[in-house]
Amino acid sequence: MSIVDSLIENKLDEAKQKIHARLEELTSKILDEAKRYVAADRFEEVEVEEELDEAVRRNPNIIRMGRVKKIRKRIRRNAKGRIVVQKNRRRSAIKGYRISGNTVRRIPATTRLRKARLLKRGWKTTRRAKLRRSMIKRRMSMRRRSSLGLK
């Protein structure tokens, strides 16, 4: 007996059940097709991702060139407090070394020790109170970085 026959015979509950059963059957069929398409699309995206260079996957903003790393964009504040985007900054890629002129030089032990002592003293006295403000500023900076498209 079809849906039309049950409607003609005024068996509305039967017609309603048949309509719901047919709709469920159709939606499950369409859903299965959609799942196949989505799975195929995701599989293709994974293949494209594997072809990317390992360095680009890590952090495309930092380019390592031997003993020097080039940071493409950084957000900083200048002396007047304005937000500045620094571009193509060269930094040493080796810990304990710095760039002097065009060469990578080792930071002297006395300079490292003096800096460590000053940092320790600062954190014991004045810096503890400023930590909260610096965390707020970091959050703002990270928001700006994400709006620029950086990690």
Side-chain angles (χ1 to χ4, degrees), residues 46 48-60 151:
V46 170
V48 171
E49 192 174 300
E50 288 174 1
E51 294 172 6
L52 289 174
D53 188 24
E54 185 182 332
V56 173
R57 236 185 293 142
R58 262 185 306 201
N59 191 351
K151 277 190 174 181

Side-chain angles (χ1 to χ4, degrees), residues 17-114:
Q17 288 175 353
K18 287 179 183 177
I19 289 171
H20 282 292
R22 182 70 179 141
L23 284 174
E24 285 179 24
E25 184 182 314
L26 288 172
T27 53
S28 66
K29 185 179 176 183
I30 292 169
L31 186 63
D32 287 339
E33 285 182 34
K35 282 180 183 176
R36 268 188 261 131
Y37 284 121
V38 169
D41 289 344
R42 283 190 179 172
F43 185 69
E44 288 176 8
E45 286 178 9
V46 170
E47 287 178 7
V48 171
E49 192 174 300
E50 288 174 1
E51 294 172 6
L52 289 174
D53 188 24
E54 185 182 332
V56 173
R57 236 185 293 142
R58 262 185 306 201
N59 191 351
N61 196 38
I62 299 171
I63 301 168
R64 190 175 168 131
M65 305 178 303
R67 294 160 56 111
V68 177
K69 63 182 175 185
K70 190 168 153 185
I71 302 169
R72 310 262 321 253
K73 289 179 186 174
R74 289 202 325 189
I75 294 176
R76 289 281 184 263
R77 286 193 185 266
N78 62 8
K80 294 178 183 176
R82 290 200 179 128
I83 297 166
V84 177
V85 177
Q86 292 179 344
K87 294 180 181 175
N88 295 328
R89 299 292 294 185
R90 288 165 41 100
R91 292 280 165 252
S92 171
I94 306 164
K95 189 176 178 183
Y97 287 74
R98 64 182 170 85
I99 292 182
S100 173
N102 206 20
T103 61
V104 178
R105 294 236 171 98
R106 187 174 170 87
I107 299 173
T110 54
T111 309
R112 276 189 284 123
L113 287 170
R114 189 179 332 122

Side-chain angles (χ1 to χ4, degrees), residues 98-150:
R98 64 182 170 85
I99 292 182
S100 173
N102 206 20
T103 61
V104 178
R105 294 236 171 98
R106 187 174 170 87
I107 299 173
T110 54
T111 309
R112 276 189 284 123
L113 287 170
R114 189 179 332 122
K115 185 178 179 182
R117 267 193 227 112
L118 287 171
L119 284 170
K120 190 174 180 184
R121 189 186 310 154
W123 278 113
K124 281 184 177 176
T125 56
T126 58
R127 292 285 183 151
R128 191 176 297 236
K130 296 180 181 178
L131 178 64
R132 189 159 184 269
R133 276 184 292 175
S134 65
M135 295 300 284
I136 291 169
K137 287 178 182 177
R138 177 194 269 163
R139 234 177 281 134
M140 287 167 48
S141 178
M142 293 307 285
R143 211 175 296 139
R144 278 192 210 97
R145 282 173 60 88
S146 63
S147 70
L148 276 175
L150 303 173

